[in-house]
């Protein structure tokens, strides 16, 4: 299977610009970047793709063994980079894709110029023994996954607006709900476990390229302590707190999000 078909890879923007690769989070697809892309493509080559099992990816390529770990997704990222052969890219990973980027960089750092971690979380579960606060107790996550297993569409309708935030703009929560509901429930159940049960805290120290940690000022899924933790564990990384609220700033505040990415990725540089 051609990886361009498998991951529905699309390339747009300036052919002679630095390359920015945008990776979406759980329950989403590349369409979630649509408000950011027109801004970035003025100065960058922009690479978009759907994780296998999402959007217009080739669903026949999905198998539980490969995609029940973060590593399977990280390998997909590397295969896309090799297939496109556009040189080192700035990888922008939103939410769970941030840690996919961390793993991909650790495996093949020469494929990456920079790394942007947008609303990242290396571990959603609190670890009282170490003092780490991920934002959820183990019991919280167990209940979340049980609810998802029992009624995925109902879970989507309840959780998506919480994840999105911005309750004064209900159309944003509705869009995320609809995106969740388009995902095959069986695939979503596996991906949810990858998202909410993975612990990549020790992998952060393996990142060896310039990194920007971009967190939102208020985020029910990734609290400020998480962004600070990520920045403290990646050598030489920078932390920026966006004015944006919620967990999806590319929809809630696309201009601010695009500006942060462009400034770090080096428009014209």
């Amino acid at each position: 299977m051609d990886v361009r078909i498998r991951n529905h890879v699309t390339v747009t923007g300036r052919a002679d610009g630095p390359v920015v690769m945008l990776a979406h989070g759980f329950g989403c697809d590349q369409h979630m970047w649509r408000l950011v892309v027109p801004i970035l493509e003025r100065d960058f080559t922009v690479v978009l793709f759907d994780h296998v099992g999402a959007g217009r990816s080739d669903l026949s390529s999905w198998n539980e063994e490969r995609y029940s770990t973060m590593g399977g997704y990280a390998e997909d990222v590397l295969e896309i980079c090799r297939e496109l052969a556009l040189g080192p890219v700035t990888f922008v990973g939103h939410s769970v894709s941030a840690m996919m980027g961390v793993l991909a960089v650790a495996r093949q750092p020469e494929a990456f110029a920079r790394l942007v971690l947008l609303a990242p979380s290396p571990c959603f579960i609190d670890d009282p023994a170490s003092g780490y606060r991920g934002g959820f107790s183990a019991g919280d996550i167990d209940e979340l996954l049980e609810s998802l297993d029992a009624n995925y569409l109902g879970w989507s309708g309840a959780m998506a607006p919480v994840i999105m935030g911005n309750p004064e703009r209900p159309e944003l929560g509705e869009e995320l709900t609809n995106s969740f509901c388009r995902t095959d429930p069986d695939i979503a159940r596996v991906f949810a476990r990858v998202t909410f049960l993975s612990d990549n805290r020790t992998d952060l120290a393996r990142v060896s390229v310039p990194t920007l940690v971009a967190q939102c000022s208020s985020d029910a899924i990734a609290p400020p302590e998480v962004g600070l933790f990520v920045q403290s564990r990646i050598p030489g990384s920078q932390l920026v707190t966006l004015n944006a609220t919620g967990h999806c700033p590319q929809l809630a505040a696309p201009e601010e999000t695009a500006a942060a990415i462009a400034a770090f990725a080096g428009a014209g540089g």
Side-chain angles (χ1 to χ4, degrees), residues 118-246:
L118 184 62
S121 178
C123 181
F124 284 97
I125 300 175
D126 299 336
D127 181 5
S130 68
Y132 173 80
R133 179 171 180 254
F136 299 86
S137 69
D140 291 335
I141 295 298
D142 286 343
E143 289 180 11
L144 181 152
L145 294 174
E146 288 171 7
S147 175
L148 185 154
D149 288 344
N151 181 0
Y152 177 64
L153 296 182
W155 178 87
S156 298
M159 280 298 298
V162 174
I163 293 169
M164 177 59 70
N166 296 276
E168 74 286 357
R169 300 164 68 189
E171 69 278 5
L172 296 179
E174 290 170 8
E175 177 171 343
L176 191 60
T177 299
N178 291 335
S179 180
F180 279 17
C181 290
R182 286 193 298 271
T183 304
D184 181 285
D186 292 330
I187 292 175
R189 290 182 185 105
V190 175
F191 198 13
R193 282 163 171 76
V194 174
T195 300
F196 293 108
L197 297 179
S198 293
D199 184 350
N200 297 103
R201 288 178 290 170
T202 60
D203 295 306
L204 298 173
R206 301 168 63 200
V207 174
S208 58
V209 302
T211 300
L212 176 68
V213 180
Q215 64 180 10
C216 295
S217 59
S218 175
D219 184 344
I221 302 299
E225 297 96 324
V226 173
L228 287 168
F229 178 89
V230 173
Q231 188 275 325
S232 72
R233 294 302 192 275
I234 297 179
S237 62
Q238 304 174 35
L239 174 67
V240 61
T241 300
L242 305 173
N243 291 322
T245 59

